[in-house]
Amino acid sequence: MPFDRVLTGARLACMTTGAAPYGQVDDAVLAIEAGRIAWIGPADALPSPALQTDHLDGRWITPALIDCHTHLVFGGNRSDEFERRLKGETYTQIAQSGGGINRTVKETRRLPALHLAADTLRRLETYTAEGVGTVEIKTGYGLDRDSELNMLKAIRAVTHSADVRICATLLAAHAIPVEYEGRSADYIDEVCIPLARQAAQEGLADAVDAYCERIAFSPEETRRLFIAAKAAGLPVKLHADQFSDLGGARLVAEFGGLSADHIEYASRESIEAMAASGTVGVILPGAFYATRETQAPPIEWMRELGVDMAVATDANPGSSPMLSLLTAANMACVLFGLTVEEALAGITRNAARALGRHDEIGTLEVGKQADLAVWDIEGPADLVQWIGHRPLHGRLMAGEWV
Ligand code: NIG
Ligand code: FE
């Protein structure tokens, strides 16, 4: 049986763990069958012919990139808050004075799902131009039942129209909506938990997320939501310890969570708990940079304790106005001291793990989806060294050029 497609003359950064840095394979052939990687090896050992052969002239192939944390569906504009922050106000102060997430909520609630989806598709163009193949998108700017469902509908519309895979995350517990001011526990019980159950039942979301922070939800409220989400069969993840240590990373680890995100202020005990549960640490240098945070996430502890690190854009109109995953990888290296290999693992293998999709995507391995990025580069570090550089030659999704 011939393969559907064979890519020859390439260098592979398989991003598998093992002896070779980047899981590098030189002068390789990658064969595709039914949308999946069917064989990887040297040209002279190819076990069967192919219906189609593409010679890649020494280009590099990596897994298509994965952004495991974004807020790409939103309405409105908050560039005036950027100006206010430049004059000295903090992200927290702006959030507490009617700006921040609740401001975007007002704008988002006004817009039909198809309008939100169309805006999101435009934002996704910079991702695909950079070799991204999978993007997680959160709700969290609806904050009432119908508006959160409207956001999920927008995400589904994007899923059908975009040439990227989309993972939908329910983040109803993103902020306390104005209607529930002073009654955050009621909001969790009356809106977030029923929505999590509905999302699970109707297959509307792949995971449940929350924002555990002084300006949002307490660890106890987060715990109640997580109990309900897990009971409904949805995995959890958490915006944890971004501005203060509330023990959020430890909490999500206790639930076997997919990831703890931000984690600038996470304690060593929390990182130990993440190591024990296999919870990925998602670092978000765009938010660190744009909020002028000074406390870096505990990279050394994660390395020492063997916590997998992912890197994401956190794209949103407030704390992380950034649409470039390669820039996030660059910042993770420059601001936090990740190696290039750690940064690339953070936007491939470990990002897949943070989405619970590591059996399907994130590395070049036989059996996985043939989601590939083909690059005009001399080596993997070229992807991370530059800002604003897009050396993408092309992308394949499930084995087809897109
Ligand atoms: O991940 N931290 C909470 N949520 C976003 C900010 C969203 C916003 O400001 O609109 C974040 O940084
Ligand atoms: Fe976020």
Side-chain angles (χ1 to χ4, degrees):
M1 261 267 286
F3 293 119
D4 291 337
R5 183 186 301 279
V6 152
L7 304 174
T8 65
R11 285 178 285 179
L12 310 184
C14 295
M15 299 313 299
T16 42
T17 51
Y22 305 99
Q24 181 172 341
V25 183
D26 287 329
D27 196 15
V29 169
L30 186 150
I32 296 165
E33 182 62 45
R36 290 180 186 266
I37 299 171
W39 190 83
I40 293 173
D44 54 10
L46 187 67
S48 43
L51 297 177
Q52 190 143 4
T53 299
D54 301 320
H55 190 75
L56 292 181
D57 296 320
R59 293 190 175 89
W60 280 80
I61 306 178
T62 67
L65 308 182
I66 302 169
D67 192 339
C68 66
H69 181 142
T70 84
H71 306 254
L72 278 170
V73 174
F74 63 84
N77 180 308
R78 279 160 54 201
S79 53
D80 57 328
E81 293 182 7
F82 175 66
E83 293 184 290
R84 283 167 67 183
R85 284 210 305 280
L86 291 175
K87 288 190 188 131
E89 280 183 87
T90 67
Y91 179 76
T92 304
Q93 284 164 343
I94 290 170
Q96 284 165 341
S97 68
I101 295 169
N102 265 306
R103 164 107 175 275
T104 300
V105 169
K106 236 185 257 163
E107 306 277 357
T108 305
R109 281 180 177 175
R110 278 201 257 276
L111 297 172
L114 286 182
H115 183 129
L116 291 169
D119 287 350
T120 305
L121 284 168
R122 264 193 299 281
R123 292 174 194 131
L124 278 171
E125 285 168 12
T126 70
Y127 286 80
T128 48
E130 279 193 345
V132 173
T134 298
V135 177
E136 184 255 22
I137 305 179
K138 302 173 194 296
T139 70
Y141 294 121
L143 308 192
D144 62 38
R145 183 180 168 277
D146 289 347
S147 308
E148 284 290 305
L149 288 172
N150 193 51
M151 286 193 74
L152 287 170
K153 198 167 156 193
I155 295 172
R156 277 201 305 288
V158 170
T159 305
H160 292 129
S161 322
D163 54 10
V164 287
R165 295 179 201 278
I166 303 286
C167 298
T169 299
L170 179 69
L171 176 59
H174 192 196
I176 300 149
V178 284
E179 310 87 85
Y180 276 90
E181 222 174 272
R183 297 191 298 128
S184 49
D186 291 344
Y187 175 64
I188 294 283
D189 291 341
E190 293 168 15
V191 178
C192 300
I193 290 177
L195 266 173
R197 291 190 180 127
Q198 183 177 352
Q201 249 162 30
E202 297 177 18
L204 304 176
D206 302 297
V208 167
D209 192 354
Y211 189 22
C212 182
E213 190 56 68
R214 287 186 216 289
I215 52 171
F217 298 94
S218 71
E220 265 327 300
E221 290 160 352
T222 305
R223 176 185 297 279
R224 265 218 315 289
L225 172 64
F226 280 1
I227 290 170
K230 292 289 282 193
L234 285 175
V236 295
K237 51 175 64 193
L238 189 63
H239 285 71
D241 309 324
Q242 181 185 11
F243 298 125
S244 55
D245 177 19
L246 296 186
R250 187 166 57 238
L251 175 68
V252 69
E254 204 185 295
F255 285 84
L258 292 172
S259 65
D261 302 39
H262 288 291
I263 57 171
E264 276 84 345
Y265 288 85
S267 66
R268 181 158 176 111
E269 293 68 48
S270 285
I271 303 300
E272 284 167 357
M274 288 168 64
S277 62
T279 300
V280 176
V282 178
I283 59 174
L284 304 170
F288 173 95
Y289 165 85
T291 62
R292 293 191 167 161
E293 180 54 62
T294 52
Q295 167 103 7
I299 305 300
E300 267 314 322
W301 292 342
M302 287 195 272
R303 272 189 195 130
E304 178 195 333
L305 298 167
V307 171
D308 288 329
M309 291 183 275
V311 177
T313 60
D314 194 15
N316 75 69
S319 66
S320 188
M322 149 184 232
L323 297 172
S324 167
L325 188 57
L326 289 178
T327 304
N330 170 280
M331 284 181 168
C333 294
V334 174
L335 298 174
F336 302 148
L338 265 67
T339 66
V340 170
E341 190 175 357
E342 285 172 330
L344 285 177
I347 57 175
T348 55
R349 183 179 72 242
N350 292 341
R353 207 162 255 295
L355 296 173
R357 299 268 180 113
H358 45 286
D359 290 338
E360 284 288 302
I361 52 174
T363 58
L364 305 183
E365 285 180 275
V366 171
K368 286 201 179 179
Q369 296 285 350
D371 290 3
L372 315 173
V374 180
W375 306 97
D376 283 311
I377 53 174
E378 290 189 13
D382 292 6
L383 294 176
V384 178
Q385 179 198 6
W386 287 80
I387 293 176
H389 184 39
R390 285 180 183 167
L392 186 73
H393 169 72
R395 225 166 30 106
L396 295 94
M397 294 295 293
E400 297 292 334
W401 291 97
V402 286

